[in-house]
Amino acid sequence: MKDVITLAIESSCDETACAILKNGREVLTNIISTQIETHKKFGGVVPEVASRKHIENIDVVVQQALEEAKLGFGDITHIAVTYGPGLVGALLVGLSYAKALSFSLGIPFVGVNHIEGHLSANYIVDNDLKPPFITLIVSGGHTHLVEVKDYGVYEILGKTKDDASGEAFDKIARAMNLGYPGGSIVDRLAKQGNPHSVEFPRACINEDGYDFSFSGLKSSVLNHLNSCKMKGIEIVPEDICASFQAAVVDVLVNKTIKACKDKNYDIVTLSGGVAANSALREKMKQACDENGLKLCYPPLVLCTDNAAMIGCAGYYRYINGRRDGMELNAVPNLKIDKG
């Protein structure tokens, strides 16, 4: 059979990315242009600025991807592009570019769900991985516990009721003026702190369902910080980060292992930006080993937003017969089980 060459585009937030894959799981090139330095002075992503940067960067990253893969447009079988969820202006840049390429080259394109892309990153890492399994998707915008029944067939078992886990990391980092992006900074400081310094609450950990809640934890940390300031008590950032991170990780690991036991699964995957967190990886590995479960998670470059994961997800959509038309629009609140 002829190889399927996928050109993938990702522009859902503040990374402009293009990747080229062969047969869905072999990454020929994965180019990422990040906007971290641009948004750092604002303490977070500014949607309008992100959109303008995508317009400036997208043609550059596509050309760079082709050059690095030593391919031309004529070698591409189809295009995969993120169409949601994400920032609507940012999504439209990538989607419009993909449509233009599809039309001019006369090749099909498929829209990809960004969350599905994150979980698909694990297929790139482990060639033997295939559904069914349980996946925990954790990022700045999403905290989902999903049953992967087949390629493209998902059931959401649980999700956050309020803040996503990554969002909570960023807000706590901002409250302590640690810098941006907050997640990696909290992780680094937590390694030097005492995770039992403050026993922050573990919301939902003993509930029967699989939902998460981090808003109360965030409020508890903020209240603790304010109390220390009012009483003149020294705040040790390392201890606060370690205690906060431990509370988040405990809930994530507990719910994931519970889902595997309840549903009789023996494979767990992690994905999303928070999957780069060292404590989450360590604690999940320990829990999986204790319960006889296989654990898979991507390297750091495939945890953050990238186009390789979009290309992998798009490949499976393509070989299963999906083709999208020019009427496809960006869907900023797209659900994983709806798109």
Side-chain angles (χ1 to χ4, degrees):
M1 293 179 63
K2 184 180 179 181
D3 290 331
V4 175
I5 305 298
T6 305
L7 185 148
I9 294 171
E10 154 64 22
S11 67
S12 64
C13 190
D14 61 334
E15 270 84 28
T16 316
C18 179
I20 299 176
L21 293 83
K22 182 168 74 173
N23 299 326
R25 294 200 180 196
E26 182 181 345
V27 180
L28 303 181
T29 183
N30 187 29
I31 306 298
I32 304 171
S33 176
T34 183
Q35 301 177 19
I36 288 178
E37 291 303 317
T38 299
H39 297 282
K40 185 177 287 186
K41 58 188 173 186
F42 304 112
V45 177
V46 180
E48 294 81 1
V49 174
S51 299
R52 288 197 293 270
K53 283 293 182 180
H54 284 310
I55 293 172
E56 295 173 10
N57 295 333
I58 191 163
D59 192 58
V60 175
V61 298
V62 170
Q63 293 297 333
Q64 187 176 348
L66 288 168
E67 290 172 8
E68 189 171 290
K70 295 180 172 58
L71 296 174
F73 282 125
D75 299 308
I76 305 302
T77 307
H78 77 112
I79 300 163
V81 59
T82 306
Y83 77 105
L87 303 174
V88 64
L91 289 166
L92 284 170
V93 175
L95 183 57
S96 299
Y97 192 94
K99 287 180 179 180
L101 272 185
S102 171
F103 180 79
S104 61
L105 298 175
I107 60 176
F109 83 95
V110 294
V112 175
N113 186 306
H114 180 78
I115 309 175
E116 182 181 16
H118 272 306
L119 76 87
S120 298
N122 286 287
Y123 296 133
I124 297 172
V125 178
D126 186 349
N127 281 327
D128 295 324
L129 178 66
K130 60 182 179 180
F133 54 84
I134 295 292
T135 188
L136 176 67
I137 306 168
V138 276
S139 66
H142 312 284
T143 301
H144 284 65
L145 194 55
V146 178
E147 181 180 0
V148 182
K149 297 182 176 182
D150 201 349
Y151 295 106
V153 182
Y154 313 108
E155 180 180 348
I156 298 176
L157 301 178
K159 57 185 178 180
T160 183
K161 298 177 180 178
D162 37 61
D163 290 352
S165 52
E167 182 183 1
F169 271 92
D170 287 338
K171 288 180 177 178
I172 296 306
R174 191 177 303 124
M176 292 193 289
N177 297 313
L178 299 179
Y180 172 85
S184 58
I185 299 173
V186 170
D187 188 14
R188 174 170 52 81
L189 293 178
K191 294 176 182 178
Q192 307 165 40
N194 176 9
H196 303 291
S197 175
V198 185
E199 292 299 330
F200 291 121
R202 273 75 166 158
C204 300
I205 196 167
N206 294 318
E207 291 184 2
D208 289 336
Y210 308 109
D211 286 335
F212 305 93
S213 174
F214 299 105
S215 180
L217 169 60
K218 177 196 67 180
S219 297
S220 181
V221 177
L222 296 179
N223 289 338
H224 178 79
L225 293 172
N226 289 333
S227 177
C228 288
K229 290 177 184 177
M230 292 174 62
K231 296 175 182 178
I233 300 173
E234 180 187 4
I235 295 173
V236 182
E238 292 83 357
D239 288 345
I240 300 300
C241 289
S243 298
F244 161 75
Q245 181 172 270
V248 174
V249 169
D250 281 352
V251 176
L252 294 175
V253 172
N254 179 276
K255 292 287 184 179
T256 304
I257 299 301
K258 172 179 167 55
C260 282
K261 290 181 176 180
D262 292 348
K263 301 289 184 178
N264 294 315
Y265 282 102
D266 58 4
I267 300 175
V268 174
T269 71
L270 293 178
S271 50
V274 182
N277 182 273
S278 61
L280 177 59
R281 289 174 178 243
E282 179 183 340
K283 295 295 184 182
M284 190 69 80
K285 180 68 167 64
Q286 180 181 343
C288 286
D289 287 347
E290 290 173 355
N291 289 276
L293 307 174
K294 176 183 176 180
L295 174 64
C296 182
Y297 50 74
L300 299 186
V301 70
L302 295 182
C303 288
T304 55
D305 291 350
N306 64 90
M309 68 184 194
I310 301 302
C312 181
Y315 165 79
Y316 285 107
R317 290 189 170 207
Y318 174 78
I319 64 173
N320 285 328
R322 174 155 175 170
R323 305 290 185 271
D324 285 305
M326 294 297 163
E327 72 281 357
L328 183 70
N329 202 357
V331 183
N333 59 349
L334 184 66
K335 309 302 181 188
I336 189 172
D337 56 347
K338 302 298 181 184

